Amino acid sequence: MNRTKKSNFKRIKIAISTLMIAIAAAIAVYGYFLPESISIKQGQDSKLDFMLSLTANFSGSDMQVLKANNAPVKDNIHIDLSKTVLNSSKQGSFRMNLSLLGIPLKNVDLNVLPQDEYIPSGETVGIVVDTDGVLVLGTGRVRDKNGVYSEPCKGILRSGDLIKSVNGINVLTKEELMDAIKLNREHTSIKIDRLADEIELTPVISDDGTPMLGLWVRDSTQGIGTVTYYKKSDLGFGALGHPVTDVDTGQLMQIRGGSIYTADITGIIKGKKGKAGELSGAGGSSIIGKAEKNCSAGIYGTLSANGAALLGQKSAPIMLKDQVKKGDAVILADVDGQGVKEYKIESSKIPESFNGVKIVYFADLLYKSTIGKEELSKIKEKINTLKPDILIFGGNLVSTELKTNDTNELTDFLKSINAKTNYAVLGDKDDDKVKEILTNSNFKILENTKETVYNE
């Protein structure tokens, strides 16, 4: 009898232990899928939806501006988020240490966004940006005064290097680079962004006594693009939606500044299967803003007052995801040179069975040229938070030659994105290695074909 009781007691202990492990595992998985950060609007009541009754331990440098259920939130106070409405009177950031049933889950940043108004634009502009130094495109052979050809920079400087100074003189333009080289015909010291120490070079002297290094360089670039929006309070704008990369090196251009101009559209090439459309135009003489930053999301800067007037005054509030409602959507664009118009987004081909289906599209990662491993992690976190049913990659995974570590990192990134169905199309920079990465990451590649998707 005692043996039977001991056996039953042992079974109960095992069952309880198994249950506890299962609960802990479920909590850990739930914590993994919590977002890294959450945003609320300044001065607006916001209820956070975590599905489960979580407890938050708040901390921050300006806690007196944060309220929960109209009561001030104090340092290290514990709040049940399922019953709490948050409000902050000022812009700022706080840290929430989330826990469930006393088990720590995750540290989540709470960002309070300002009550700014944004003006969506769609206006086509000319963009000119200057590199932060002189960009090396490549090296070549030069002929000395004796008729002998040599390549003084071969294997030393490479495509994508940014020359910051020559012979101790800072250089920003091609002309400044050539003038600095002429100061010492026997010897040249070059400082580039890639290396800590200066590079020592010996110029080749031409027939007319000019010192030459055999470099192909660039100090600026220009093109046509679209302003996405500007902010009403300080006239800060965002444009393009993708980085400015050098046409020869494929790398994100480090800029020291630039300008945006009025532009006239001179031609439009309609996109077709396998080839993107193209907008061509000519920049005008009127500067309407300064370009200040080039990053993976595009060009950012500040408009002039005249520029803001040209780009429109009809503002739209920034909505948080819980405030977005189903309704009509439009695209703002100037596609004929006759000014920005609204184009309603609609399709009779989408059946009612697709109501509620989430489709996430991402493209132009240009890994190692515009973004790194840290940005990949943020993209993965963002996409997984959206919980897409269908994931579509639109091409241009990389822009430079892939190394083994790059291949492994990209494969791990793509495999870690959670979606029921994955599709991909190839960009003009994607090769067979990219196809292999996408295939190994469970993406179905569509090349000059189509596939019908059903939601039954």
Side-chain angles (χ1 to χ4, degrees):
M1 188 70 177
N2 288 337
R3 191 174 295 172
T4 302
K5 286 183 178 179
K6 286 182 180 179
S7 178
N8 289 337
F9 181 70
K10 187 175 181 180
R11 289 195 187 98
I12 292 171
K13 281 181 67 178
I14 292 173
I16 292 173
S17 298
T18 302
L19 179 61
M20 294 300 292
I21 292 172
I23 292 173
I27 291 175
V29 170
Y30 177 72
Y32 174 80
F33 285 103
L34 289 174
E36 297 289 336
S37 64
I38 294 172
S39 298
I40 65 174
K41 292 294 291 293
Q42 174 188 342
Q44 290 186 5
D45 289 341
S46 299
K47 186 174 181 180
L48 308 183
D49 182 13
F50 287 109
M51 294 186 289
L52 299 179
S53 181
L54 301 184
T55 299
N57 184 352
F58 285 82
S59 60
S61 59
D62 198 12
M63 293 296 296
Q64 64 267 24
V65 303
L66 185 63
K67 290 185 177 182
N69 297 331
N70 293 320
V73 175
K74 299 179 180 178
D75 288 341
N76 299 321
I77 189 171
H78 292 275
I79 295 175
D80 184 349
L81 292 179
S82 66
K83 303 174 182 177
T84 301
V85 174
L86 298 176
N87 191 308
S88 177
S89 59
K90 289 184 180 180
Q91 178 185 357
S93 297
F94 305 92
R95 174 58 65 91
M96 298 190 298
N97 302 314
L98 302 181
S99 60
L100 177 63
L101 303 176
I103 301 175
L105 281 180
K106 197 170 193 176
N107 294 330
V108 176
D109 292 325
L110 178 66
N111 300 314
V112 182
L113 305 179
Q115 286 280 29
D116 279 321
E117 284 189 287
Y118 292 78
I119 289 83
S121 176
E123 188 73 45
T124 301
V125 295
I127 300 173
V128 178
V129 292
D130 301 312
T131 57
D132 188 20
V134 179
L135 180 67
V136 175
L137 304 179
T139 63
R141 296 196 309 159
V142 288
R143 184 175 180 269
D144 68 13
K145 58 186 177 182
N146 298 317
V148 178
Y149 285 91
S150 62
E151 196 168 347
C153 293
K154 183 179 180 180
I156 302 173
L157 293 179
R158 63 193 189 199
S159 175
D161 282 341
L162 202 61
I163 300 174
K164 309 292 282 188
S165 68
V166 175
N167 295 325
I169 301 171
N170 292 336
V171 293
L172 295 173
T173 67
K174 293 179 289 187
E175 291 75 19
E176 290 176 352
L177 172 66
M178 290 186 287
D179 289 342
I181 293 172
K182 291 176 183 177
L183 292 177
N184 190 334
R185 297 172 183 270
E186 306 296 328
H187 177 80
T188 300
S189 297
I190 290 183
K191 181 72 180 69
I192 62 173
D193 62 336
R194 178 168 53 88
L195 301 174
D197 297 327
E198 289 187 337
I199 297 172
E200 307 299 326
L201 296 168
T202 302
V204 170
I205 307 301
S206 68
D207 289 337
D208 61 3
T210 302
M212 300 182 295
L213 293 178
L215 287 174
W216 295 95
V217 296
R218 176 178 288 125
D219 57 15
S220 65
T221 192
Q222 59 187 350
I224 296 291
T226 302
V227 175
T228 310
Y229 71 90
Y230 75 88
K231 193 161 58 170
K232 197 171 184 179
S233 60
D234 60 9
L235 304 187
F237 73 84
L240 297 186
H242 60 80
V244 174
T245 57
D246 183 74
V247 66
D248 293 294
T249 68
Q251 296 184 358
L252 183 144
M253 294 187 70
Q254 298 180 41
I255 69 168
R256 57 185 168 89
S259 303
I260 64 171
Y261 296 76
T262 55
D264 297 318
I265 296 176
T266 58
I268 296 173
I269 300 175
K270 186 177 180 181
K272 58 183 179 180
K273 186 181 291 186
K275 188 175 182 179
E278 185 177 302
L279 186 70
S280 59
S285 58
S286 300
I287 297 177
I288 59 173
K290 295 179 179 179
E292 298 159 359
K293 179 182 178 182
N294 178 34
C295 64
S296 60
I299 289 284
Y300 293 85
T302 306
L303 292 175
S304 65
N306 289 338
L310 176 68
L311 267 56
Q313 299 291 315
K314 187 179 179 181
S315 65
I318 295 297
M319 310 298 287
L320 301 177
K321 67 177 183 178
D322 59 324
Q323 297 174 311
V324 176
K325 308 297 181 185
K326 181 180 177 181
D328 293 338
V330 297
I331 294 175
L332 298 176
D334 181 359
V335 298
D336 55 12
Q338 301 300 311
V340 175
K341 300 183 182 69
E342 289 189 357
Y343 296 87
K344 189 175 180 181
I345 304 171
E346 58 184 7
S347 175
S348 59
K349 297 180 181 180
I350 302 176
E352 290 187 9
S353 62
F354 271 78
N355 286 345
V357 172
K358 290 184 181 179
I359 301 174
V360 171
Y361 172 91
F362 70 112
D364 296 321
L365 297 185
L366 301 176
Y367 187 54
K368 289 295 176 74
S369 294
T370 61
I371 67 170
K373 195 171 182 179
E374 184 178 342
E375 287 81 7
L376 280 187
S377 180
K378 291 179 180 179
I379 293 171
K380 175 198 75 175
E381 204 63 53
K382 178 66 174 177
I383 294 176
N384 283 341
T385 299
L386 295 171
K387 299 177 181 177
D389 297 293
I390 299 173
L391 183 65
I392 301 173
F393 174 65
N396 289 339
L397 191 64
V398 297
S399 64
T400 56
E401 186 176 348
L402 280 167
K403 298 178 181 178
T404 302
N405 285 345
D406 300 336
T407 300
N408 294 337
E409 288 169 4
L410 287 168
T411 302
D412 291 343
F413 158 69
L414 292 169
K415 283 185 174 180
S416 67
I417 300 176
N418 302 305
K420 295 177 182 177
T421 308
N422 302 324
Y423 291 102
V425 295
L426 301 176
D428 56 357
K429 300 181 184 299
D430 295 327
D431 56 15
D432 289 339
K433 276 192 175 181
V434 170
K435 290 173 68 173
E436 186 178 346
I437 290 172
L438 290 167
T439 302
N440 291 340
S441 303
N442 302 316
F443 278 76
K444 184 169 186 178
I445 301 174
L446 302 179
E447 290 188 271
N448 297 320
T449 187
K450 63 181 180 180
E451 180 167 311
T452 304
V453 180
Y454 297 92
N455 184 46
E456 299 175 341

